[in-house]
Amino acid sequence: MNNQNLPPLPKIEDAELMLAVFTHASISSSLAAGPTNYDSDRLAELGEQALNLAVTNYLYCKRPVLDAENIRNQRRVILHDQRIIQWLDAYDLKAKLRTSQSDIFQDTQEMKKYFLTYAGAVFVTGDMSTIENWIVRLIDPDARSEIQASASYLPQHSSQHISSNPPQYSAPPPTPPHSQPPPLPSSYPPAGPAPASVSALSMLSLATVNQTAAQKHLTIRYESSSVGASHVPTWTVRCIVDDQEQGVGTGKSQKAAKEEAARKAYLNMGWMNI
């Protein structure tokens, strides 16, 4: 294109970002242990996507309306490698690149990546409208400077939003005194039967259960029933404490079923820890 129609090259104000753009990986790779916010590969990826969106939006807004296939085909022509190299030469950006490899300037893919890195840096320091107004005027010098930018629905990006340090957060304000829970009571009534070991429960005698109920001034009685043949009955005994069933036992004998019912009642009444 005629250099007289060349739109101004958007400036990169951030010094660290400029260093990342104008320093080739052959030099910068020895200075960093891993990717950073201003890593050239990351910037090139960002720049490529920003250019794709800018050109796609430009073609989408053209009249007469282009169908999707024509948008893709024309975008491919506009962003052809050789055209990007022409833009690179028009702005004389090659002269600003620091590299340890003199033959890098003949490598089309490396030079394309260099331009995309610059575009990514422009996006970081500006926003999508900056990219669109620049690229559209490169594509079509007669296009109006303000296009229907997709930046209206994209977040603003600026160098102050990107930092190699993690964000710092202030401590949350103290909880107001009135919202603090009241102190817990020193003791609670038992919510249910206290846990007991199987061995301790099995050693509990019927006499102990009856004696404990008497000490607590509670009435205790047992209701028995049996099923099956008379020579091999199965007994069921219910232990009733103050008219409330507290334990049920079953067994081959009435005595065994009664003892089981008494032990279960003793456990359910919470008497194991008394």
Side-chain angles (χ1 to χ4, degrees):
M1 67 181 298
N2 190 333
N3 285 359
Q4 292 181 347
N5 295 327
L6 198 66
L9 183 68
K11 293 182 179 180
I12 303 173
E13 303 293 346
D14 187 286
E16 185 181 354
L17 190 54
M18 287 180 62
L19 185 64
V21 171
F22 295 127
T23 304
H24 186 257
S26 60
I27 297 177
S28 61
S29 60
S30 62
L31 302 178
T36 65
N37 279 332
Y38 295 155
D39 176 81
S40 61
D41 288 336
R42 285 162 44 86
L43 289 170
E45 178 65 24
L46 183 61
E48 182 174 18
Q49 299 307 320
L51 291 189
N52 281 334
L53 180 56
V55 174
T56 301
N57 188 60
Y58 164 74
L59 295 172
Y60 181 86
C61 295
K62 284 190 69 174
R63 295 295 182 270
V65 173
L66 299 174
D67 60 25
E69 184 177 359
N70 272 317
I71 289 177
R72 286 191 292 269
N73 291 337
Q74 291 194 32
R75 182 182 62 220
R76 193 177 300 113
V77 172
I78 290 171
L79 294 178
H80 190 274
D81 292 356
Q82 291 303 321
R83 190 161 193 182
I84 290 179
I85 299 303
Q86 290 175 4
W87 293 341
L88 195 70
D89 290 335
Y91 286 111
D92 198 24
L93 287 174
K94 290 181 180 179
K96 298 181 179 181
L97 181 63
R98 298 191 307 157
T99 177
S100 62
Q101 301 173 358
S102 58
D103 59 344
I104 203 72
F105 299 104
Q106 283 71 50
D107 189 324
T108 300
Q109 292 305 311
E110 284 290 337
M111 290 298 97
K112 176 185 177 181
K113 178 185 173 184
Y114 174 34
F115 186 85
L116 295 177
T117 301
Y118 193 96
V122 170
F123 180 83
V124 169
T125 56
D127 55 28
M128 193 61 207
S129 63
T130 305
I131 289 283
E132 288 192 298
N133 289 328
W134 171 40
I135 295 301
V136 167
R137 292 171 65 189
L138 270 175
I139 299 169
D140 182 3
D142 296 326
R144 63 186 188 276
S145 59
E146 294 296 332
I147 63 173
Q148 297 177 5
S150 55
S152 60
Y153 56 82
L154 288 175
Q156 298 291 311
H157 291 263
S158 68
S159 57
Q160 66 181 3
H161 294 159
I162 298 182
S163 171
S164 57
N165 298 321
Q168 301 295 319
Y169 300 99
S170 58
T175 306
H178 66 272
S179 65
Q180 294 179 353
L184 297 175
S186 58
S187 62
Y188 290 92
S197 66
V198 175
S199 59
L201 192 61
S202 62
M203 294 175 62
L204 188 66
S205 67
L206 184 61
T208 301
V209 176
N210 294 336
Q211 182 181 3
T212 302
Q215 290 173 347
K216 294 181 176 298
H217 307 289
L218 300 174
T219 59
I220 186 169
R221 58 188 174 86
Y222 301 91
E223 296 180 352
S224 304
S225 62
S226 65
V227 294
S230 59
H231 62 287
V232 283
T234 298
W235 286 89
T236 299
V237 177
R238 291 175 172 80
C239 181
I240 311 297
V241 180
D242 269 7
D243 297 325
Q244 297 291 326
E245 182 182 293
Q246 297 295 341
V248 178
T250 59
K252 296 300 181 181
S253 68
Q254 185 179 14
K255 180 176 181 294
K258 187 175 182 179
E259 288 176 343
E260 182 183 353
R263 286 193 291 266
K264 288 183 178 179
Y266 194 89
L267 181 63
N268 289 335
M269 293 297 292
W271 295 343
M272 284 299 298
N273 293 333
I274 298 175

